[in-house]
Amino acid sequence: MTKFDFASWPPALTREQLEALTLAATTYSLSHGLLYLPPAPTQPPAPTSAIHAPISLFPAPVPRRLFTEAVALQSVYNVLYARIAMDTEFLDSVMGAEVGVGRADEFVGTLWKGWKAIREEGVVQPLQLGLFRSDYLLHTESEGGSLSLKQVEFNTISSSFGTLSERAAAMHRHLHASTEYYGLSSHLTADNFPSNNTTAGLAEGLAQAHQHYGASGSRILFVIQPNERNVFDQRWLEYELLKTHDIHIIRQTFAQLATSATLSSPDRKLLVNGHEISTVYFRAGYVPTDYPDPSYYQTRFLLEKSRAINCPSIPLQLAGGKKVQEALTKPGVLERFLSDSKWGTQYNDEQLKRVRGTWMDMWALDEDDTDALSSVSAPSPPSSSSSPSPASTSSTEPAGVRRALAQHASLVLKPQREGGGNNVYKSSIPPFLATLPPAEREAWIAMALIVPPKSVSSYLVRAGAGGTEGAVRSEVISELGIFGWAVFGGGEVKGEKEVGWLVRTKGTESDEGGVAAGFSVLDSIVLVDE
């Protein structure tokens, strides 16, 4: 078989074929719940209209060996981040407000201080639930070289688009079944469309936590943002939990919970409008704007100190910080979580090597010269000719800042934020660093940019409030996410599983990648052999 040519993807369509595929894709999406609420200043309590989610017409090509590797690694990552969330000493040192990121980041510091106070008061629920998503890009090792799998980030809170990604995959299978994509590509065969059952898998994780809680008649609480446009992605989980597991859901915002949520005494059962809650699933609370005043944090802490199992708990949310991702690259840290016998199951050197193989070079902006010399991360890509040399930067700056300035053309700077739109890229880095207060450097990491295959295209279809816009062919980058869950506590992982995937595709003109933030479309996979 000839080597797959990414630059030739997707096959060209005639105008008639493009119009037919667009109509088939959008009507399928509208008929099968691949939906968003339309943009509006305010949404009514009971929505009366919907639009299809942003979608692609062709699935994104992903090498079969790399997809298989990403799926296989998810269970290791599930265990890794569960163990990080159970290691209080480590999280205090990396994310805390006394010696860690929380000193420089008020949002992180406030969450950590609340968690510390709850620990001092006494944690009544040792179990935690994680619904995870590990995000990857294909990386070109060298010009014309082989591809590898590189991790963008690991998500521990509000890992969204699981249910809609399943429907995007079904939509592409439908297009193939109904049109065979006009016979335009030998790669578009039924056996190259991998199955995706993310809805059932994520619901299984929530149901496992509910069962561990063990109270008959209890319910799962979804903590949601007001005026949520991505409501259908959440509703499909709600429907699956009721249909398959006979578990009822309560949906509430932080503002609603301020008056509806109480703790029973003395056992601290969480009651919402009189209903006992087994599990709290956060689809809000990951950005500072979710806490417009201090009372919202107090509501979050009320949920955390209850007997309900939190998904995520505050320590698990903190474990998803970019600073933790960077700390894992330092000598001995990965071994702390995967090789130490105190955790029970240990992973061998080959498994650790495979995990490390998914990482790009990264470092802290406040890294000093001693830290830089001890780093064992892979070498950074060479900087472009427009980058300042290390000698041109002030020697009084930390080594991490000097290195970021020298290599800015091939870097991204990341804060401890989720939701898209937070990072600083390439030429924007020097002016940003010139204005970043030294006290805030600890809240940022630098990461070498992943280099995806060049000249890959797709047909992107977005819907507006007034109807469907036509498909636009654009040069794109596709990001693969693998979902998993873990129930854990007391130093032990009670259960974990890899449960599906998503693909988000964006135009190359955009550095950011969030669907909800408006940068990407939902996509799926066609497996290809290199």
Side-chain angles (χ1 to χ4, degrees), residues 196-240:
N196 192 11
N197 301 303
T198 310
T199 306
L202 292 174
E204 179 187 16
L206 288 162
Q208 285 291 312
H210 178 83
Q211 291 167 17
H212 276 286
Y213 184 84
S216 176
S218 59
R219 301 187 174 196
I220 292 178
L221 170 66
F222 282 24
V223 182
I224 59 171
Q225 293 173 323
N227 304 318
E228 173 65 75
R229 291 186 63 204
N230 192 25
V231 63
F232 299 101
D233 185 54
Q234 302 168 13
R235 289 291 187 181
W236 281 115
L237 276 180
E238 177 182 340
Y239 304 151
E240 179 70 16

Side-chain angles (χ1 to χ4, degrees), residues 381-389 405-411 426-427:
S383 57
S384 71
S385 58
S386 63
S387 303
S389 67
L405 287 169
Q407 300 175 19
H408 71 265
S410 57
L411 293 182
K426 298 181 183 178
S427 61

Side-chain angles (χ1 to χ4, degrees), residues 83-96:
R83 290 175 177 178
I84 291 171
M86 292 186 286
D87 193 325
T88 302
E89 179 186 20
F90 175 78
L91 283 176
D92 284 350
S93 68
V94 175
M95 299 296 285

Side-chain angles (χ1 to χ4, degrees), residues 357-375:
T358 64
W359 297 342
M360 295 298 287
D361 187 25
M362 61 189 85
W363 64 89
L365 286 185
D366 62 335
E367 180 180 82
D368 61 25
D369 292 285
T370 302
D371 293 329
L373 287 172
S374 66
S375 174

Side-chain angles (χ1 to χ4, degrees), residues 149-172:
L149 192 72
K150 295 298 181 182
Q151 189 180 63
V152 178
E153 62 185 358
F154 191 88
N155 299 276
T156 63
I157 183 169
S158 190
S159 302
S160 59
F161 292 108
T163 68
L164 293 194
S165 68
E166 178 178 334
R167 282 150 185 82
M171 180 268 294
H172 283 145

Side-chain angles (χ1 to χ4, degrees), residues 64-78 136 149 347 351 354-355 358 480 482-483 496-500:
R64 193 182 309 272
R65 66 176 178 87
L66 297 182
F67 176 71
T68 301
E69 177 71 0
V71 169
L73 280 173
Q74 187 59 35
S75 283
V76 184
Y77 270 115
N78 291 342
Y136 303 94
L149 192 72
Y347 294 84
Q351 290 168 308
R354 287 167 56 204
V355 170
T358 64
L480 170 67
I482 306 295
F483 288 99
E496 62 81 22
K497 196 173 184 181
E498 172 273 318
V499 293

Side-chain angles (χ1 to χ4, degrees), residues 2-10 61 187 454-456 528-530:
T2 58
K3 183 177 180 179
F4 181 79
D5 180 11
F6 281 87
S8 68
W9 191 262
H187 299 284
K454 293 181 179 179
S455 304
V456 187
V528 298
D529 294 302
E530 301 161 280

